[in-house]
Amino acid sequence: MIPVTKPFLPPMEEYQELLKGIWDRNWLTNNGPLVNELELRLKQYLNLDHLLFLSNGTIAIQIAIKALELKGEVITTPFSYIATTSSVVWEGCQPVFADIDKETFNISPESIEKHITDKTSAILATHVYGNPCDVEAIDAIAKKYNLKVIYDAAHAFGVKFRGKSIFEYGDISTTSFHATKLFHTVEGGAVITRSPELLKKMAFLMNFGHDGPEKFVEVGINGKNSELHAAMGLCNLSHVEKILKKRKEDYLYYQYSLQPLEFISQKIHKETEYNYSYFPVVFNSEADVVKVMHELGNNKIFARRYFYPTLDVADYLETSSEISVAKDIASKVLCLPLYYTISKVEIDMICRIIKRSLRYN
Ligand SMILES: *Cc1c(COP(=O)(O)O)cnc(C)c1O
């Protein structure tokens, strides 16, 4: 069986070594030493000012929305994971979908501008598959209309744009360290900001609003993560360079092995240091996607239609945006298996089956 992804696991001894310390200290959660160490090492590795380690990437988006005190409408992308949209609704705001760019698959700045009303308070954009959004255009729009910007950077661990971490863009960036992501802590996530005020506010928000044991300064939630999760993160962080290197090799090997198949691949901005976190293929038609998935499935290979359907179809939404590019890409995209332990032989087999099912050989 070849799944679309498999979590990376460090050598068990490395994890056990950190567990010993946890048992010795008998300190399991609430801002323990390993949580602090992980935050510090992530900030060093990614060269960030501020980062808070949270229980997951969804609570990270919710805390970001709460910290920025967003109200009314939030312009967002319909081509992302459902957590991007549901978080907006959960925080009492209304998602308004802008269309995406047909080459980068990210939210289109022109379409954002078309959807701004006097109720718009923010833009929530996803760096889809780790590909940086048009951050400059989005920043310019935000300045012009006085809007806040949150980036859902759940796919973007290790990505740099113009020499700095993509997490440094926007008022707040959020990310996920879920087991299926490139760098993970089993469950986990983070918020990143350059603002000391927002950092302080989010530190209260993630911990019930506690300011000391007897004072509550914000309507908080429990967004903390544990020593056991931090331990996994510390182990995985020491392997992340080789994970990134292996993914790049596999990504390039897919591109090579799929020849001469015609498909659209995502256009990555040239000033990007990319992380190769997914291998999306946009076929010529939805029928081709279905055919390929079926053939792969017959061989116990499971590709996934990330992201299909577009998020506007969620039962709890009523939206009327024209998002034809997003609909089109969503209907034709398929993410092929990509994970640390996938072999070249397996990639060969996947590519052979795809080409055969579309009669390209
Ligand atoms: C994974 C993911 C999330 C949610 O992260 P969790 O840690 O699973 O809560 C949010 N947005 C995007 C784009 C994701 O891929």
Side-chain angles (χ1 to χ4, degrees):
M1 206 264 279
I2 304 179
V4 69
T5 187
K6 266 187 206 176
F8 176 83
L9 280 170
M12 201 191 253
E13 311 76 65
E14 292 179 16
Y15 192 61
Q16 279 166 336
E17 199 49 44
L18 292 181
L19 288 184
K20 272 196 215 121
I22 296 175
W23 256 249
D24 289 344
R25 288 185 295 274
N26 203 343
W27 186 349
L28 302 184
T29 187
N30 287 2
N31 215 20
L34 296 185
V35 165
N36 278 314
E37 190 183 335
L38 179 63
E39 287 179 341
L40 192 69
R41 279 191 45 200
L42 285 169
K43 284 187 281 190
Q44 284 168 347
Y45 178 67
L46 300 167
N47 205 4
L48 306 171
D49 291 336
H50 309 298
L51 170 147
L52 294 169
F53 179 45
L54 300 172
S55 47
N56 59 67
T58 305
I59 210 77
I61 304 172
Q62 291 175 207
I63 287 176
I65 294 172
K66 190 76 96 195
L68 294 168
E69 299 177 13
L70 302 187
K71 293 194 180 54
E73 296 172 0
V74 174
I75 299 179
T76 187
T77 174
F79 192 68
S80 181
Y81 183 59
I82 188 65
T84 317
T85 292
S86 62
S87 302
V88 173
V89 178
W90 191 281
E91 291 304 326
C93 299
Q94 195 194 335
V96 172
F97 294 108
D99 207 351
I100 62 170
D101 179 89
K102 67 178 191 306
E103 294 190 321
T104 66
F105 309 165
N106 285 325
I107 196 165
S108 142
E110 295 77 47
S111 183
I112 292 176
E113 202 157 8
K114 276 191 213 146
H115 287 91
I116 293 174
T117 70
D118 53 7
K119 295 198 202 107
T120 309
S121 63
I123 299 162
L124 169 53
T126 301
H127 302 299
V128 175
Y129 310 130
N131 188 24
C133 289
D134 190 343
V135 289
E136 271 151 22
I138 291 173
D139 200 41
I141 293 170
K143 282 216 175 73
K144 183 169 162 194
Y145 296 94
N146 194 23
L147 305 174
K148 303 292 185 192
V149 179
I150 301 172
Y151 287 111
D152 179 348
H155 301 170
F157 189 90
V159 172
K160 283 189 190 161
F161 182 65
R162 300 217 162 120
K164 68 176 185 180
S165 168
I166 195 67
F167 291 170
E168 288 283 272
Y169 293 84
D171 292 291
I172 300 173
S173 281
T174 68
T175 195
S176 166
F177 303 142
H178 183 257
T180 55
K181 307 301 205 253
L182 185 153
F183 165 78
H184 79 88
T185 61
V186 186
E187 289 278 357
V191 284
I192 298 100
T193 182
R194 279 156 298 144
S195 153
E197 293 78 36
L198 285 172
L199 172 78
K200 193 168 168 209
K201 186 158 182 180
M202 291 192 290
F204 288 135
L205 288 172
M206 69 180 279
N207 187 27
F208 307 99
H210 266 295
D211 184 6
E214 292 164 13
K215 201 164 164 240
F216 309 101
V217 292
E218 298 280 352
V219 184
I221 195 163
N222 182 0
K224 291 177 275 101
N225 211 330
S226 82
E227 290 292 280
L228 285 91
H229 293 84
M232 182 62 91
L234 286 165
C235 291
N236 287 343
L237 194 55
S238 61
H239 296 280
V240 81
E241 286 293 325
K242 74 178 192 214
I243 295 174
L244 286 163
K245 188 162 164 279
K246 169 76 164 46
R247 278 188 182 257
K248 180 173 181 179
E249 281 170 24
D250 292 341
Y251 184 101
L252 297 176
Y253 193 63
Y254 260 122
Q255 281 190 326
Y256 164 79
S257 309
L258 281 172
Q259 287 169 21
L261 182 76
E262 283 170 39
F263 63 91
I264 302 164
S265 47
Q266 188 183 29
K267 190 169 164 195
I268 313 285
H269 194 292
K270 61 179 182 314
E271 287 170 273
T272 306
E273 233 173 88
Y274 189 47
N275 66 359
Y276 305 90
S277 51
Y278 295 83
F279 193 81
V281 174
V282 176
F283 291 100
N284 290 325
S285 69
E286 185 164 17
D288 281 356
V289 174
V290 173
K291 203 180 328 175
V292 165
M293 268 185 93
H294 184 76
E295 275 306 309
L296 289 172
N298 283 342
N299 290 276
K300 298 211 168 6
I301 299 165
F302 301 100
R304 278 288 295 270
R305 297 181 75 180
Y306 291 139
F307 297 104
Y308 174 85
T310 49
L311 299 176
D312 58 309
V313 304
D315 287 353
Y316 46 84
L317 294 176
E318 267 178 48
T319 64
S320 55
S321 294
E322 209 271 313
I323 48 165
S324 53
V325 179
K327 294 267 179 204
D328 182 54
I329 303 281
S331 72
K332 299 192 301 202
V333 72
L334 192 65
C335 281
L336 302 182
L338 186 60
Y339 47 88
Y340 184 70
T341 51
I342 198 167
S343 68
K344 295 242 183 331
V345 173
E346 288 170 319
I347 294 177
D348 274 336
M349 181 166 76
I350 292 165
C351 294
R352 256 199 324 272
I353 293 167
I354 294 173
K355 287 192 281 188
R356 196 172 56 214
S357 68
L358 300 175
R359 297 180 204 288
Y360 269 92
N361 57 347

